[in-house]
Amino acid sequence: MIPLSATMKRVSRPTRATSSAKKRHSSKNARAPSANSSGQIRIIGGQWRGRKLPVLNAEGLRPTTDRNKETLFNWLMPNVNNARCLDVFAGSGGLGLEALSRYASHCDFIELDKQAATQLKSNLTLVNASNTAATGVHQGDALNILRGISDAPYDIIFVDPPFAKGLVAPTLAAIVDNNLVQSGSVIYLEHESTLVTPSLPAHWNIIKDKQTSALRYMLIEVN
């Protein structure tokens, strides 16, 4: 069981092959980006498939490969349509945007970096997300924001914190403490392969699980 008294991205994805999506390291000690530099994410499925969107290209960003996104959203195929989603360490917002493209009805994004949060808001406008779904971008510390982000549980929560920051257990504990999931909800969790996954509540079950030399990622179902 996750200690509910645990103390308090962005990014848990290691640099790998060329990728279309990047996530921001939501940590105050991330190094500053190069001035005016930018990169791109590409949405790989759904109504915005193939759409490329600008994101900050900065130290502390790690690529999200299309292969990993394809695996994840194959896992989530039965869950995404009309789902309420939360992208906890949003960065570029690649996972939340992918969910919205696949007809999720709502997505909240949490991002520490002000510039990344501003860019995310701009990208939601570019794809006219507000015309098809409810969205919210919350700039600040994720563990603080989780305390009051919603009065209703989410169907899907993406948890992809930065490596080696001790954020996995506290984030999962915050989800429990603040009743952000219910029976039938699923949580996508990704962390470095060297980290032992924290003990989960008895009614949480890992239903999909993959590991590479650099990371472990899984889908957890709440019963």
Side-chain angles (χ1 to χ4, degrees):
M1 185 71 179
I2 300 169
L4 299 189
S5 60
T7 57
M8 311 247 323
K9 117 178 171 273
R10 136 96 219 200
V11 175
S12 65
R13 288 183 171 82
T15 301
R16 297 189 290 271
T18 301
S19 167
S20 64
K22 293 188 176 182
K23 290 189 171 184
R24 180 74 177 93
H25 185 315
S26 298
S27 175
K28 292 181 180 178
N29 61 3
R31 286 173 285 179
S34 302
N36 301 319
S37 62
S38 63
Q40 287 184 328
I41 60 169
R42 184 172 70 91
I43 297 174
I44 65 170
Q47 61 186 319
W48 307 321
R49 182 178 180 180
R51 187 71 181 265
K52 294 180 180 179
L53 299 170
V55 296
L56 294 181
N57 186 14
E59 293 292 340
L61 288 171
R62 297 177 187 271
T64 301
T65 66
D66 285 355
R67 171 185 277 184
N68 280 10
K69 284 202 300 183
E70 184 175 8
T71 297
L72 168 59
F73 281 92
N74 283 340
W75 290 350
L76 289 174
M77 191 177 299
N79 306 89
V80 175
N81 190 49
N82 206 37
R84 279 177 45 80
C85 302
L86 171 62
D87 194 346
V88 180
F89 300 93
S92 68
L95 295 181
L97 282 162
E98 195 74 45
L100 290 171
S101 180
R102 296 165 191 252
Y103 303 99
S105 64
H106 179 101
C107 190
D108 284 314
F109 300 83
I110 303 174
E111 172 53 36
L112 179 63
D113 185 90
K114 290 182 179 179
Q115 287 182 302
T118 298
Q119 183 64 68
L120 178 50
K121 290 177 183 178
S122 176
N123 286 344
L124 288 167
T125 299
L126 284 174
V127 296
N128 295 316
S130 60
N131 292 340
T132 58
T135 63
V137 178
H138 307 264
Q139 189 272 315
D141 180 86
L143 294 177
N144 288 332
I145 292 172
L146 286 173
R147 294 190 182 111
I149 192 169
S150 178
D151 293 328
Y154 292 95
D155 301 304
I156 302 171
I157 298 182
F158 302 104
V159 179
D160 184 6
F163 285 172
K165 299 298 178 183
L167 288 168
V168 174
T171 302
L172 297 180
I175 290 170
V176 173
D177 291 346
N178 295 288
N179 300 310
L180 296 179
V181 289
Q182 61 186 350
S183 179
S185 299
V186 291
I187 300 165
Y188 174 70
L189 174 63
E190 183 175 320
H191 61 71
E192 62 269 41
S193 59
T194 54
L195 178 70
V196 175
T197 303
S199 297
L200 302 175
H203 59 294
W204 289 19
N205 297 313
I206 297 173
I207 57 173
K208 300 289 185 180
D209 189 9
K210 283 197 172 184
Q211 183 162 335
T212 69
S213 60
L215 59 87
R216 184 182 182 191
Y217 53 107
M218 68 194 72
L219 199 63
I220 302 165
E221 183 176 56
V222 179
N223 294 322

